[in-house]
Amino acid sequence: MATIKRYPWISHFLGSPTGYVVHLQKGAVRHQGVGQAFWFRPASSVLSEVPVDDQELPTLFHAITRDHQDVSVQANVTYRFVDPVSVASRLDFALQQAGPATSGGKEQVTTIIGQLCQSHAIDHIATTTLAQSLEHGVSELRNLLTEALSADTRLVSTGIEILGVQVLAVRPESEVERALQTPVREQLQAEADRAVYERRAVAVERERTISENEMASQIELASRREHLVAQEGANARREAEEQAAAGLIQANAEAERRGIGATAEANRIRLVGEAEAAREAAAMEAYRGMDQATLLALAVREAAGSLPNIGNLTVTPDLLSGALAGLIREPGAAATGGK
């Protein structure tokens, strides 16, 4: 931004790197260019500063399509002042006494470019339908406005160069836009619902597969359990049969052993009986020729072997006399009987 320092009867101007200054004194150009610094008399000087950097001009306007639909066009125009002297001579970029330039020049440029953009865009949109404007309007308007503004004689003669035009949006009214968005939204919602249904179907299919796998596993486990029970029953039955066979064999062996033992015992008893009988017979045969006293003595001896032990024996005179008397009588009696 240029600065002006005022002194009595004279002032000093210091320009900026983006401002092209034109110093006119009594109608003649005394100084011009970028970044100028000079002294001047305010009473006889006119200063104009034209920006030489790129300028951005956003614009927004409405147009009517062929099917009587209102659309809004949002665009941005980039331009530059390539001939600052011509611009300063045709537009108001004069510096005030305080220093900064007036805004009249920029407002004039904004009005000129905005009206040109609106005029060409309205003419073009009036030949298209709403669907065509929304589908191809951005690219067509960008090319159209770039060519029209670049070739406009007023801008060229003024020293304004159009660097580029960007059409940002072509939009219908809000109600129409919502109505146009409804089918797409419905389609997107339908796609979303379809995706949800497919996801649910996949989940159900997976659950069914899992259930079938679990059921198959349970059936397999039940079958294996059945085989296990059958095998255990067969094993138990076989074990019982083996135990029964073993018991039978043991019982037979025990019976045979007992039979053998009984036979042996019977044979032993028989042999012992026969031996006892033979001994008794032999004894009786031996006793047959003995006298009564001898037999009595043997009987007493046999009985004495069966009696309990006698610690002390008291022989009285009566007992002794009786036994002696019997002994004395026995021989006599034996003799008498012999006779």
Side-chain angles (χ1 to χ4, degrees):
M1 179 183 294
T3 58
I4 298 177
K5 293 183 179 181
R6 300 181 61 84
Y7 300 96
W9 304 290
I10 195 170
S11 298
H12 184 267
F13 174 84
L14 179 62
S16 64
T18 58
Y20 191 99
V21 65
V22 179
H23 175 207
L24 299 176
Q25 189 174 7
K26 296 180 181 181
V29 178
R30 295 294 303 275
H31 300 90
Q32 65 177 355
V34 178
Q36 295 290 318
F38 52 85
W39 297 89
F40 65 94
R41 293 179 179 275
S44 59
S45 299
V46 176
L47 300 178
S48 298
E49 186 180 27
V50 179
V52 293
D53 56 341
D54 295 344
Q55 302 293 316
E56 300 291 339
L57 175 62
T59 178
L60 176 66
F61 53 88
H62 291 264
I64 304 298
T65 62
R66 189 176 64 187
D67 49 359
H68 309 290
Q69 298 295 323
D70 181 74
V71 295
S72 61
V73 180
Q74 183 180 358
N76 187 76
V77 181
T78 304
Y79 66 93
R80 182 176 61 185
F81 299 108
V82 293
D83 191 355
V85 177
S86 298
V87 173
S89 63
R90 301 188 61 174
L91 301 175
D92 184 10
F93 283 93
L95 292 175
Q96 300 293 335
Q97 293 182 358
T102 60
S103 59
K106 279 194 174 183
E107 292 178 355
Q108 290 175 331
V109 174
T110 300
T111 302
I112 294 170
I113 296 177
Q115 290 178 352
L116 289 174
C117 290
Q118 186 173 358
S119 175
H120 292 292
I122 289 175
D123 292 341
H124 175 74
I125 291 176
T127 61
T128 61
T129 62
L130 177 62
Q132 293 173 349
S133 299
L134 296 179
E135 186 176 0
H136 306 291
V138 174
S139 59
E140 292 178 354
L141 286 177
R142 181 176 63 248
N143 298 331
L144 174 64
L145 294 179
T146 300
E147 294 177 0
L149 295 178
S150 299
D152 187 77
T153 56
R154 183 178 180 184
L155 297 179
V156 174
S157 62
T158 305
I160 300 174
E161 180 184 5
I162 301 299
L163 300 178
V165 178
Q166 297 296 328
V167 178
L168 304 179
V170 177
R171 301 182 61 179
E173 294 180 345
S174 58
E175 294 82 2
V176 177
E177 187 175 14
R178 284 196 295 270
L180 294 175
Q181 291 174 351
T182 300
V184 179
R185 289 179 179 176
E186 293 295 334
Q187 183 179 0
L188 294 177
Q189 185 64 38
E191 292 292 333
D193 294 340
R194 184 177 61 82
V196 172
Y197 297 150
E198 290 180 356
R199 186 167 60 253
R200 290 180 180 176
V202 172
V204 171
E205 182 66 22
R206 290 179 179 175
E207 290 180 358
R208 186 182 65 81
T209 304
I210 293 173
S211 300
E212 290 180 354
N213 293 336
E214 291 179 353
M215 187 177 298
S217 299
Q218 293 177 358
I219 293 173
E220 181 66 22
L221 290 176
S223 177
R224 292 185 179 181
R225 188 177 295 109
E226 181 181 2
H227 293 164
L228 178 60
V229 171
Q231 186 64 36
E232 289 179 350
N235 293 339
R237 185 166 55 253
R238 187 177 303 165
E239 183 178 358
E241 292 176 355
E242 294 294 335
Q243 290 179 356
L248 180 60
I249 294 172
Q250 185 176 2
N252 293 333
E254 184 67 19
E256 292 180 359
R257 184 179 64 78
R258 289 182 179 179
I260 294 172
T263 303
E265 183 67 18
N267 293 331
R268 185 184 68 79
I269 294 173
R270 182 175 58 78
L271 294 177
V272 170
E274 291 178 354
E276 289 291 335
R279 185 178 64 81
E280 290 293 335
M284 292 301 295
E285 183 67 23
Y287 292 158
R288 182 177 299 173
M290 293 182 178
D291 55 8
Q292 185 177 3
T294 302
L295 293 176
L296 179 62
L298 291 174
V300 171
R301 188 185 65 178
E302 185 71 21
S306 301
L307 292 176
N309 295 327
I310 299 173
N312 296 312
L313 178 63
T314 302
V315 179
T316 60
D318 296 332
L319 178 62
L320 183 60
S321 60
L324 291 176
L327 291 174
I328 293 173
R329 282 194 304 266
E330 287 295 331
T336 302
K339 291 180 177 185

